[in-house]
């Protein structure tokens, strides 16, 4: 194991930013996924009530 100096922080600033980038990416993915599910649910609901164009 490597020894760290007593004054050296456990996590440096760069690793903190890297974690924040991953959190932001996951949040954007979940937002996009929920928007897609919401749109598909709305479209499915329109079809079940008969409010969709017939050809």
């Amino acid at each position: 194991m490597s020894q760290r100096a007593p004054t050296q922080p456990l996590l440096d600033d760069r690793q903190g930013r890297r974690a924040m980038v991953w959190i932001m990416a996951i949040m954007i993915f979940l937002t996009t996924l929920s928007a897609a599910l919401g749109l598909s649910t709305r479209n499915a609901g329109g079809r079940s009530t008969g409010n969709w164009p017939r050809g």
Side-chain angles (χ1 to χ4, degrees):
M1 287 184 116
S2 65
Q3 297 290 326
R4 64 180 181 89
T7 58
Q8 182 182 5
L10 187 59
L11 295 174
D12 64 351
D13 191 34
R14 189 181 73 158
Q15 288 177 341
R17 279 190 239 135
R18 191 180 314 156
M20 187 56 133
V21 168
W22 276 104
I23 291 170
M24 296 275 296
I26 291 168
M27 292 302 290
I28 290 171
F29 170 74
L30 290 175
T31 302
T32 306
L33 183 65
S34 64
L37 288 172
L39 289 174
S40 65
T41 301
R42 188 184 69 176
N43 290 339
R47 287 192 193 120
S48 67
T49 59
N51 294 334
W52 56 285
R54 296 187 172 117

